[in-house]
Amino acid sequence: MKLLPLTPNGQTPVRALTIAGTDSGGGAGIQADSRTMAMCGVHACVAVAAVTVQNTLGVSGFHEIPPEIVAGQVRTVVSDIGIGAAKTGMLASTAIIEAVAAVCEEVGIGRNGTIPLVVDPVAASMHGDPLLHASALDALRDTLIPLATVITPNLDEVRLLTGIEVIDDLTAHKAAEALHALGPQWAIVKGGHLRTSSFSTDLLFDGETFHELTAPRIATGNDHGGGDTLAAAMASALAHGYSVPDAFAFAKEWTRRCLEASYDLGAGHGPVSPLWRLHEDPASSA
Ligand code: PXL
């Protein structure tokens, strides 16, 4: 695959910002985002929205960061460091979502501004542990999603946001239309969790054209952080100046490689791994 370029030592790389939750197990959330961004040649700035208490068996609790501190992290990074793209993940509560939406508007992040915004509407961990208060779904739908350059829900999040159960091609198209009607510039319906074939098909819709991407499904129990990795790779590619369809094609292939490189960890689900890039022949990034 064509890799994103690494900046020569001593030169300032492009920057991206992740606004999300931490994972003490190091596999998902901000840890997944920063690892992928680093391996994509991007300096990762982080605005912590929540701290999860988590290992490979599940999330046993989380602490929410005060909304003004979350917004403050975003504001201070954008004004000094400057970023080429931003990404949201776990935001936990209505108050945090509203604060993030407001500061994004203020500093030019999102479709009304100049900095592309990937919204990954994280609702639960892969074990089903909640990472978003149920009452906060409306805030996500009403305040943040309309600002998104692109949203990347998994199929559970598609159902929560639109009421549509994606079971086949037709319902995937309907869901993409319903998601797009919420206001993002692009909506993605990821087929990765639809375990009905040996292929995984994703749909990308901008209100006019459907783009479809199909790839062989990777069979692994170690897919913790896969969604975060896809969204972080998209943000990285957007920060490097890619268009949304090109960023998505890159991110899908990137995530496939990270799934192939996933490893066992603890007694539960291991993480996807972007570290495969360290073993790659540098010539292949040309
Ligand atoms: O993969 C979704 C996700 C995002 N953010 C945090 C998480 C998880 C899944 O567990 O813990 C902090």
Side-chain angles (χ1 to χ4, degrees):
M1 72 178 292
K2 185 170 182 294
L3 294 167
L4 293 175
L6 302 177
T7 308
N9 289 331
Q11 283 184 22
T12 308
V14 296
R15 282 83 57 207
L17 169 66
T18 166
I19 310 167
T22 65
D23 170 2
S24 45
I30 278 184
Q31 281 71 19
D33 294 346
S34 347
R35 294 198 310 166
T36 270
M37 287 177 183
M39 292 294 157
C40 289
V42 173
H43 174 93
C45 299
V46 302
V48 181
V51 175
T52 70
V53 180
Q54 168 167 196
N55 61 21
T56 64
L57 297 168
V59 180
S60 53
F62 62 78
H63 169 72
E64 294 165 28
I65 304 301
E68 67 278 13
I69 298 291
V70 181
Q73 294 171 81
V74 176
R75 192 179 290 114
T76 206
V77 161
V78 172
S79 69
D80 171 43
I81 297 172
I83 53 168
K87 181 229 147 184
T88 63
M90 173 191 183
L91 296 177
S93 73
T94 297
I96 295 175
I97 292 167
E98 288 178 352
V100 168
V103 75
C104 284
E105 281 276 67
E106 176 194 318
V107 302
I109 295 174
R111 61 173 304 183
N112 304 328
T114 53
I115 303 167
L117 173 64
V118 181
V119 172
D120 189 16
V122 172
S125 78
M126 66 190 307
H127 301 95
D129 305 312
L131 299 173
L132 180 76
H133 298 301
S135 57
L137 259 181
D138 284 343
L140 209 50
R141 236 190 322 249
D142 298 341
T143 65
L144 193 61
I145 288 177
L147 299 183
T149 308
V150 54
I151 54 169
T152 60
N154 64 28
L155 294 185
D156 285 336
E157 292 153 0
V158 169
R159 183 174 35 76
L160 288 171
L161 289 168
T162 67
I164 297 173
E165 187 89 50
V166 174
I167 48 166
D168 54 17
D169 205 39
L170 181 68
T171 44
H173 282 75
K174 292 252 170 282
E177 285 170 349
L179 287 169
H180 186 265
L182 299 177
Q185 206 171 336
W186 291 84
I188 293 179
V189 176
K190 298 184 288 184
H193 292 100
L194 195 61
R195 301 187 190 280
T196 49
S197 87
S198 53
F199 286 88
S200 125
T201 298
D202 302 299
L203 263 188
L204 189 59
F205 184 54
D206 66 351
E208 285 178 10
T209 315
F210 287 99
H211 298 243
E212 257 181 54
L213 263 145
T214 299
R217 181 183 304 287
I218 308 288
T220 172
N222 294 330
D223 55 0
H224 183 52
D228 313 65
T229 296
L230 182 104
M234 277 202 84
S236 300
L238 292 170
H240 277 285
Y242 280 40
S243 68
V244 169
D246 288 350
F248 181 65
F250 165 78
K252 189 163 159 89
E253 180 61 8
W254 175 267
T255 306
R256 190 183 69 76
R257 297 291 301 264
C258 294
L259 277 161
E260 278 177 353
S262 65
Y263 47 83
D264 293 336
L265 193 72
H269 286 281
V272 305
S273 174
L275 301 180
W276 60 267
R277 182 170 186 176
L278 296 174
H279 306 288
E280 206 63 3
D281 173 0
S284 66
S285 67

